[in-house]
């Protein structure tokens, strides 16, 4: 203020807000200047910027004033962990699924911005055999199978996936992939005892052959029914 004495700048004011306060400092020559101080922690995810109005008043009667706008932009700090859309992902796929097929996609978001919001995905605490069977795209979180699946070999795969942001914060989720059985195995007949020669006057009921059956498939696909021709003098009885 070019005026002097009482007509020079006497006070500063700022619009009421919960985050900033104004302190008036006096320098060595008696001049006053304002100092803005932080009163409350800022959260960029809650409010990206703050707009304030600073008013300068002189000591005249009536006082004259001037205003200016102050805009404060809040820089991001890596204070948010990535969050998966689910704590546990579960999917069922056929054992006939071709290699290279998409099985499941995990997704995680981060409320930070820039590098702090960039999320990459990694296997963690996962068996080496599972890592060989499936691959995980670090950028998209897509899980694909690297090789053919076999229900008779492994019925379920369990893995842990980690989402890590550019600032190093991470979180984990569980992934369960269940393999569905297909009727891809032929039944087997195993002869355990055989009398290939019998007397012609042998009484009915004599055991001629003992055999067992098995099928590696599961459920109805693994149930075996045995039949023999109707025009021969033998019958099949279940011994179980």
């Amino acid at each position: 203020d070019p005026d002097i004495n009482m007509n020079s700048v006497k006070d500063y004011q700022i619009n009421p807000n919960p985050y900033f306060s104004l302190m008036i400092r006096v320098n060595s020559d008696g001049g006053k200047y304002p100092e803005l101080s932080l009163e409350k922690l800022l959260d960029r995810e809650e409010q990206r910027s703050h707009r304030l109005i600073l008013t300068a008043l002189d000591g005249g009667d009536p006082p004259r004033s001037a205003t200016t706008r102050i805009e404060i932009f809040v820089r991001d700090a890596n204070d948010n962990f990535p969050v998966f859309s689910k704590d546990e992902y579960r999917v069922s796929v056929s054992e006939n699924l071709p290699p290279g097929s998409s099985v499941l996609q995990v997704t995680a978001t981060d409320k930070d911005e820039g590098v702090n919001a960039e999320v990459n995905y990694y296997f963690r605490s996962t068996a080496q055999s599972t890592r060989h069977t499936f691959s995980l795209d670090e950028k998209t979180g897509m899980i694909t199978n690297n090789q053919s699946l076999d229900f008779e070999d492994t019925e379920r795969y369990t893995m842990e996936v980690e989402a890590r942001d550019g600032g190093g914060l991470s979180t984990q989720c569980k992934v369960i992939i269940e393999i569905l059985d297909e009727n891809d195995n032929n039944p087997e007949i195993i002869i355990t005892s055989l009398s290939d020669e019998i007397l012609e006057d042998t009484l009915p009921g004599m055991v001629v052959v003992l055999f067992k059956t098995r099928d590696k498939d599961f459920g109805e696909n693994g149930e075996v029914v045995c039949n023999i021709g109707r025009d021969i003098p033998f019958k099949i009885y279940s011994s179980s």
Side-chain angles (χ1 to χ4, degrees), residues 86-199:
K86 299 178 182 177
D87 292 330
E88 180 178 295
Y89 293 81
R90 186 183 293 264
V91 67
S92 299
V93 296
S94 169
E95 64 176 331
N96 292 338
L97 189 71
S101 300
S102 298
V103 177
L104 174 71
Q105 185 176 23
V106 298
T107 56
T109 56
D110 194 308
K111 290 182 178 180
D112 294 315
E113 67 177 4
V115 174
N116 293 333
E118 295 177 1
V119 178
N120 289 331
Y121 303 91
Y122 307 94
F123 280 134
R124 178 180 174 183
S125 303
T126 300
Q128 199 63 36
S129 58
T130 301
R131 294 172 185 255
H132 288 156
T133 305
F134 298 95
S135 61
L136 173 64
D137 190 296
E138 291 186 4
K139 297 297 183 182
T140 65
M142 180 63 73
I143 298 175
T144 57
N145 61 321
N146 300 324
Q147 58 193 41
S148 299
L149 306 174
D150 189 352
F151 173 87
E152 288 71 40
D153 180 48
T154 305
E155 298 181 15
R156 174 186 294 181
Y157 294 89
T158 301
M159 59 196 76
E160 190 174 276
V161 175
E162 177 183 84
R164 187 187 311 155
D165 66 21
L169 297 180
S170 64
T171 189
Q172 295 79 39
C173 75
K174 187 176 183 180
V175 176
I176 298 174
I177 301 174
E178 295 182 336
I179 310 303
L180 299 177
D181 182 47
E182 300 290 343
N183 193 21
D184 57 348
N185 290 282
N186 293 323
E188 299 176 60
I189 299 177
I190 302 165
I191 304 296
T192 58
S193 177
L194 171 63
S195 300
D196 55 355
E197 292 184 0
I198 58 176
L199 297 173

Side-chain angles (χ1 to χ4, degrees), residues 218-237:
F218 180 74
E220 292 183 355
N221 294 334
E223 295 179 1
V224 179
V225 177
C226 298
N227 296 285
I228 59 174
R230 296 180 180 179
D231 55 348
I232 58 176
F234 299 95
K235 290 183 178 180
I236 297 176
Y237 294 93

Side-chain angles (χ1 to χ4, degrees), residues 39-130:
E39 294 293 318
K40 182 180 177 182
L41 287 175
L42 302 175
D43 188 347
R44 186 203 62 84
E45 289 74 40
E46 183 179 311
Q47 189 171 346
R48 291 174 174 267
S49 65
H50 300 265
R51 293 177 174 85
L52 307 174
I53 298 177
L54 177 65
T55 303
L57 300 124
D58 66 18
D61 186 18
R64 290 180 177 271
S65 65
T67 60
T68 188
R69 293 184 179 181
I70 301 174
E71 186 166 10
I72 300 171
F73 295 94
V74 183
R75 292 177 57 186
D76 182 48
N78 192 28
D79 57 347
N80 289 281
F81 285 81
V83 178
F84 279 101
S85 59
K86 299 178 182 177
D87 292 330
E88 180 178 295
Y89 293 81
R90 186 183 293 264
V91 67
S92 299
V93 296
S94 169
E95 64 176 331
N96 292 338
L97 189 71
S101 300
S102 298
V103 177
L104 174 71
Q105 185 176 23
V106 298
T107 56
T109 56
D110 194 308
K111 290 182 178 180
D112 294 315
E113 67 177 4
V115 174
N116 293 333
E118 295 177 1
V119 178
N120 289 331
Y121 303 91
Y122 307 94
F123 280 134
R124 178 180 174 183
S125 303
T126 300
Q128 199 63 36
S129 58
T130 301

